[in-house]
Amino acid sequence: MVETKNEPRIGVFLCHCGTNIAGSINIEEVKNYAKTLDGVVIADEYQYMCSTPGQSKIIDAINENNLNGVVVAACSPRLHEPTFRMATQEGGLNQFRFEMANIRDQNSWVHMHDLEGATEKAKDQVLIAVAKARMLEDLQPKSVPVEHAALVLGAGVGGMQAALDLANAGIKTYLVEKLPTIGGRMSQLDKTFPTLDCSQCILTPKMVDVGRHPLIELRTYTEVEKVEGYIGNFTITLRHKARGVLDPDQAAARAAATGILGTGCNGCGDCDAVCPVIKPNPFEMGMAPRKAIYIYHAQVMPLQYTIDFDACVKCGLCVDACGSEKNAIDLEAVDTFEEIKVGTCILAIGFDLIPIEEKREWGYKQYDNVITGLEFERLICASGPTVGHLIRPSDGKTPMKIGFVLCAGSRDNTGGVNKAYCSRFCCMYSLKHAHQIMEKIPGAVPYLFYMDIRSFGKMYEEFYYRIQNEGAKFIRGRVANILEDPITKNLIVNTEDTLLGRPVAMEMDMVVLAAAVQPKPEAEHIRQMFGVSKSQDGWLLEAHPKLNPCGTTTAGIYLAGVCQGPKDIPDTVAQAEGAASAASIPIHMGEVQLEPYFAMCMEDLCAGCGMCLNQCPYGALDLIEKNGRTVMEVTEAKCKGCGTCGGFCPGGAIKMQHFTSPQICAQIDAFLLKGGVN
Amino acid sequence: MTDENWKPKIIAIICNWCSYAGADLAGGARIQYPPDVRAIRVMCTGRVDPLFIMKAFQDGADGMLISGCHFGDCHYLEGNYKCAKRMFLVKNILKNIGLNDNRLRMTFVSASEGAKWGEVMVDVVKTVNELGPSPLNKR
């Protein structure tokens, strides 16, 4: 280690970033200015400071000039702070003796045509950074052990894939699903594009793998109640919703605890047969009935009935039907809670369709024969309410002319329920729907009303050609409105054919809206619990759109699937595997390094008033007796380093490491007393 | 004080997770705004001691911006609430000592709101330009 004397010896390094910075800022002028600053012993510049020669400049300068502080004026610390901290450390200094001036993202890029203003700002930014660098202290990152378990929230195809990957890597994985079964949206689909694989056929093996895996702890009909802790050490409280039906394990536990015998639910369905309550079936998009005691669909995992307590009248018929041997039903069941400890978490919470009925001009929920793409999936599916016979909801007849409205709410920035983004899979599933009609109903003609066909994936464009050749009709233009013939219940689709340049009105037997997708309503609450930001369109925000698409800004939380943004099944699975890989790294490392931005109590200044205790959202602060005085004490393991206590302490007795009050005041003073042009 | 060459001195204290990231995003998107604001990064706006603000105005700051996450989005759960509460106190003090409290502003800019950061910058600079130099401006 180089001896770090009290006298500040700062090196300032300016990055050109090619012309990114040098094109809008006079680097030479800033460098010469930096040389005049108190404590600066060397100021240098380089084309790319983050390159190996750039970093070498820092390392060499530390040794040659006996520096005790390093300032790099370049891009954002959110991008390259770790790089330069490592260089600082390689030079023999403590890595926290480094400060960054963001003269690119927050200067040259936002003042591109103001050379003078940008240069003045860059000088001040360097001045402010040097002011802080003069006061930096050696800090040691804190190493914490990582719990050898992971949480995956949402058991659709993405969540299942992530859980399987984690479990196969030897990590105990809690797979939490709010529905009574795993499988997600994909289990509602009939076929998948462009291969036309049967969706359930390729999904159920995965569901079985998940169910059987010894390292996957399946928690269905369960929601996350509370999230505490940080990477490596999350404590998650789960709410097991009252299911009212015991599986064999739960029945055995009951027998052991209370002596009430019974083998538990074996999925026989005797209860379902006698239940008198009938409700719409959400799995069938409300197009089929469901009892108050139900399984979600035929291929559920786990095979265990569930009581919908909002609908159940507690008549007890199911209890009798179940019988004393199984004795699986408990009508007085209540929610129970479980606390689990995990090192990392993956959110794979999926999506909903937009409430397309709010686009009144397209008549969904006004006209019987206007349905959504997801309803079409159920109607065309052999396990669906019509056992795969596509019929018109109004009269049960087979439709021969079927219109598909693409971009139904997508790529529309007019507000309301409309979404500016592309929902990414509607083009392809509509092509698939068109194929299915022509395959199942001889003579039926699909008409696709589209803006652009976005067939971007592997073999997608080829699939598009195939559907064109099969005889589907494509009309390019956004549908203005859909009207119903009150007698025939046929639908008149009014649009402009933009290729012919004229308005057209076409009569259809049935119309399928390829409705846009949107985040689930509960996504907002979930992301706030896990500390994940959202994009402007409401999807969960990744750490970096290109270079960290699975991570989030909260360490230890990762994203998979549509909850991060619309994507099809291959992309969802790919992202899930990426997220699983990312989430397994800290677990396999066994420990993670946390930045040492902890609060510290300066006991000689602390009056023991305890007003800071309420400021801390983590309960990290306590009052203790020490040497006959009451003083505050910080539990480092609980402190996350926000500094809210330090911003409040009336006695200035709380030191926020790396963001101390003297450091921040020095930054303020530097600019206001020495900086600026006037 | 109505020097034609006068340029406002504005300090922003912004949180690492939302507003600083939003400001970086504005950069990536090349959203152009006036260069008069100097930012200081803290982990959370909860770190902002009212004394920092008083210190800045005492030093002659013409304007000050505190910017954090939207309510409910705080990386540390509620630091931004705590900061927002303190703002009422500080604004009151500023008014009482005869400073226009519009010189101090708190905004909420998320990591995905680069464009909004640009708008905030334009607006803060405009407001301070209209108010003119701080009466405590030493020069």
Side-chain angles (χ1 to χ4, degrees):
Chain A
M1 284 290 271
V2 177
E3 192 190 349
T4 47
K5 298 191 197 98
N6 293 332
E7 192 72 15
R9 293 183 65 79
I10 313 289
V12 176
F13 303 89
L14 295 147
C15 181
H16 293 222
C17 197
T19 56
N20 276 310
I21 295 171
S24 307
I25 291 172
N26 185 337
I27 299 280
E28 191 65 24
E29 192 181 327
V30 179
K31 185 174 84 175
N32 291 333
Y33 172 77
K35 283 180 179 163
T36 67
L37 296 175
D38 223 11
V40 173
V41 292
I42 175 175
D44 205 349
E45 60 181 296
Y46 193 65
Q47 280 284 314
Y48 296 100
M49 281 309 299
C50 58
S51 66
T52 308
Q55 293 185 54
S56 300
K57 267 185 185 291
I58 298 173
I59 296 164
D60 296 343
I62 292 171
N63 290 309
E64 285 162 18
N65 298 282
N66 199 20
L67 301 180
N68 57 16
V70 173
V71 168
V72 174
C75 51
S76 171
R78 298 177 78 257
L79 194 65
H80 265 312
E81 192 174 57
T83 314
F84 296 123
R85 275 188 178 168
M86 283 303 112
T88 306
Q89 195 166 21
E90 272 188 59
L93 281 180
N94 181 280
Q95 58 165 311
F96 292 95
R97 291 213 172 235
F98 166 76
E99 179 66 14
M100 206 152 172
N102 186 344
I103 61 168
R104 191 188 71 175
D105 303 49
Q106 295 185 19
N107 189 340
S108 67
W109 276 354
V110 289
H111 316 304
M112 293 175 81
H113 313 297
D114 183 0
L115 182 73
E116 195 188 332
T119 305
E120 285 306 324
K121 180 170 172 177
K123 285 169 154 177
D124 287 338
Q125 287 178 302
V126 169
L127 172 73
I128 291 168
V130 168
K132 180 159 181 187
R134 288 165 58 89
M135 307 185 75
L136 288 174
E137 295 169 318
D138 287 0
L139 298 172
Q140 300 308 327
K142 192 181 148 94
S143 191
V144 293
V146 178
E147 198 72 40
H148 201 83
L151 166 80
V152 178
L153 185 59
V157 66
M160 290 197 298
Q161 184 65 49
L164 280 171
D165 283 8
L166 286 166
N168 285 336
I171 296 162
K172 181 177 181 177
T173 305
Y174 294 92
L175 180 57
V176 175
E177 168 59 51
K178 73 166 183 171
L179 291 178
T181 177
I182 60 173
R185 287 279 176 216
M186 191 175 161
S187 59
Q188 283 181 290
L189 309 181
D190 179 40
K191 289 200 166 60
T192 57
F193 59 79
T195 52
L196 300 173
D197 290 309
C198 152
S199 182
Q200 282 281 28
C201 309
I202 56 174
L203 186 70
T204 43
K206 266 203 198 308
M207 291 167 65
V208 172
D209 287 350
V210 167
R212 279 205 189 126
H213 205 294
L215 283 176
I216 295 182
E217 296 279 340
L218 203 50
R219 298 287 188 273
T220 51
Y221 212 45
T222 297
E223 289 175 8
V224 170
E225 185 76 9
K226 197 162 81 177
V227 180
E228 291 168 297
Y230 48 90
I231 180 170
N233 299 277
F234 290 105
T235 303
I236 315 257
T237 308
L238 302 177
R239 173 194 286 267
H240 300 302
K241 291 183 280 185
R243 192 163 198 155
V245 179
L246 280 66
D247 69 15
D249 290 344
Q250 290 162 336
R254 177 184 62 180
T258 64
I260 300 172
L261 296 176
T263 56
C265 180
N266 63 1
C268 67
D270 291 348
C271 50
D272 187 328
V274 297
C275 180
V277 181
I278 294 175
K279 276 193 80 178
N281 184 341
F283 179 77
E284 304 290 3
M285 306 304 291
M287 296 182 296
R290 184 181 87 179
K291 299 294 183 66
I293 187 163
Y294 65 96
I295 50 170
Y296 205 64
H297 56 80
Q299 284 135 310
V300 290
M301 168 65 66
L303 178 53
Q304 177 189 3
Y305 273 76
T306 304
I307 296 175
D308 177 353
F309 279 109
D310 290 338
C312 175
V313 294
K314 299 201 177 180
C315 63
L317 286 172
C318 54
V319 180
D320 297 340
C322 188
S324 59
E325 193 188 320
K326 295 193 286 286
N327 198 10
I329 297 172
D330 174 9
L331 290 177
E332 303 308 319
V334 290
D335 292 2
T336 56
F337 296 90
E338 179 188 14
E339 210 169 74
I340 59 170
K341 285 191 176 296
V342 295
T344 53
C345 307
I346 295 175
L347 306 183
I349 55 177
F351 66 96
D352 271 342
L353 297 185
I354 60 165
I356 190 79
E357 63 273 20
E358 287 181 29
K359 285 185 76 83
R360 302 280 300 165
E361 64 271 29
W362 289 343
Y364 180 64
K365 288 195 180 168
Q366 302 164 59
Y367 309 141
D368 291 343
N369 295 331
V370 177
I371 64 172
T372 66
L374 209 46
E375 287 168 344
F376 181 92
E377 293 284 349
R378 295 315 303 153
L379 287 178
I380 201 83
C381 182
S383 68
T386 57
V387 287
H389 297 292
L390 184 67
I391 53 169
R392 283 168 27 120
S394 65
D395 52 16
K397 286 185 188 152
T398 302
M400 297 306 287
K401 287 175 77 178
I402 302 161
F404 291 89
V405 178
L406 276 61
C407 295
S410 305
R411 301 177 66 202
D412 183 344
N413 55 11
T414 55
V417 295
N418 300 317
K419 304 296 175 188
Y421 50 79
C422 165
S423 294
R424 285 193 88 212
F425 42 77
C426 338
C427 281
M428 290 308 296
Y429 77 58
S430 296
L431 290 174
K432 178 197 69 179
H433 290 170
H435 168 83
Q436 287 177 291
I437 289 168
M438 293 184 287
E439 184 181 69
K440 282 204 168 183
I441 309 169
V445 184
Y447 292 82
L448 286 87
F449 299 92
Y450 71 104
M451 300 215 295
D452 301 285
I453 296 289
R454 296 190 162 179
S455 51
F456 51 84
K458 192 173 181 179
M459 298 301 288
Y460 287 12
E461 191 71 11
E462 292 86 338
F463 187 70
Y464 176 27
Y465 297 149
R466 176 178 167 185
I467 307 310
Q468 285 178 326
N469 292 332
E470 284 176 349
K473 306 289 180 211
F474 292 80
I475 297 103
R476 187 171 183 276
R478 194 194 281 281
V479 170
N481 65 7
I482 295 169
L483 302 172
E484 187 186 56
D485 180 330
I487 296 158
T488 62
K489 299 281 182 186
N490 285 350
L491 300 157
I492 320 295
V493 178
N494 288 305
T495 185
E496 181 193 356
D497 187 328
T498 58
L499 297 180
L500 294 177
R502 65 176 184 222
V504 288
M506 302 181 75
E507 189 170 338
M508 296 288 149
D509 297 339
M510 188 176 196
V511 168
V512 182
L513 303 176
V517 295
Q518 66 178 18
K520 280 186 175 286
E522 62 267 32
E524 188 70 7
H525 177 58
I526 291 171
R527 77 172 182 83
Q528 289 184 350
M529 279 196 292
F530 283 91
V532 175
S533 304
K534 65 176 174 183
S535 315
Q536 251 163 344
D537 44 23
W539 301 107
L540 302 184
L541 187 66
E542 63 285 345
H544 190 282
K546 293 182 177 60
L547 302 179
N548 196 349
C550 302
T552 67
T553 50
T554 298
I557 310 288
Y558 307 88
L559 306 175
V562 182
C563 64
Q564 182 257 332
K567 52 180 74 66
D568 57 10
I569 294 168
D571 287 1
T572 292
V573 173
Q575 193 184 20
E577 301 212 89
S581 164
S584 70
I585 293 168
I587 294 175
H588 284 313
M589 292 296 286
E591 59 175 33
V592 284
Q593 306 247 305
L594 301 182
E595 295 196 294
Y597 304 156
F598 309 114
M600 274 171 62
C601 178
M602 294 186 282
E603 286 164 8
D604 46 340
L605 291 177
C606 178
C609 67
M611 287 165 75
C612 51
L613 269 57
N614 280 335
Q615 293 287 310
C616 180
Y618 306 108
L621 313 181
D622 290 298
L623 287 181
I624 57 159
E625 293 296 322
K626 202 165 180 183
N627 303 330
R629 290 178 59 217
T630 305
V631 291
M632 186 273 278
E633 187 186 54
V634 182
T635 307
E636 274 192 9
K638 288 185 185 170
C639 175
K640 291 200 188 180
C642 62
T644 305
C645 56
F648 183 79
C649 176
I654 298 174
K655 178 178 177 182
M656 287 310 306
Q657 303 195 91
H658 210 62
F659 293 93
T660 67
S661 297
Q663 285 168 356
I664 294 170
C665 287
Q667 289 175 291
I668 293 172
D669 282 350
F671 168 54
L672 292 169
L673 302 181
K674 295 177 209 135
V677 281
N678 44 332
Chain B
M1 291 303 261
T2 49
D3 184 354
E4 273 182 21
N5 293 325
W6 173 76
K7 289 247 181 200
K9 280 186 161 182
I10 305 168
I11 283 234
I13 302 184
I14 60 182
C15 85
N16 179 61
W17 303 100
C18 294
S19 290
Y20 200 92
D24 279 354
L25 189 70
R30 308 297 194 278
I31 289 163
Q32 304 295 302
Y33 55 79
D36 302 297
V37 181
R38 307 290 181 262
I40 293 173
R41 180 171 71 123
V42 291
M43 295 313 277
C44 177
T45 48
R47 177 70 190 95
V48 179
D49 189 323
L51 290 175
F52 297 163
I53 300 168
M54 301 315 291
K55 175 102 184 115
F57 282 115
Q58 204 179 359
D59 283 353
D62 299 307
M64 196 150 184
L65 168 73
I66 313 294
S67 191
C69 308
H70 288 280
F71 288 142
D73 281 9
C74 178
H75 192 75
Y76 305 100
L77 309 177
E78 50 197 39
N80 53 354
Y81 283 101
K82 302 269 166 64
C83 181
K85 276 170 80 178
R86 291 173 203 159
M87 288 304 116
F88 290 109
L89 166 78
V90 181
K91 279 186 162 263
N92 247 322
I93 297 172
L94 293 181
K95 269 190 272 193
N96 274 300
I97 61 172
L99 265 184
N100 190 320
D101 68 337
N102 287 333
R103 291 186 187 276
L104 171 65
R105 185 158 165 199
M106 183 167 190
T107 58
F108 308 95
V109 177
S110 83
S112 61
E113 293 177 326
K116 185 176 172 190
W117 177 256
E119 286 164 22
V120 165
M121 289 291 101
V122 169
D123 205 52
V124 165
V125 173
K126 181 168 167 274
T127 305
V128 176
N129 266 323
E130 282 167 6
L131 289 167
S134 160
L136 296 173
N137 193 320
K138 291 188 174 62
R139 272 169 268 183

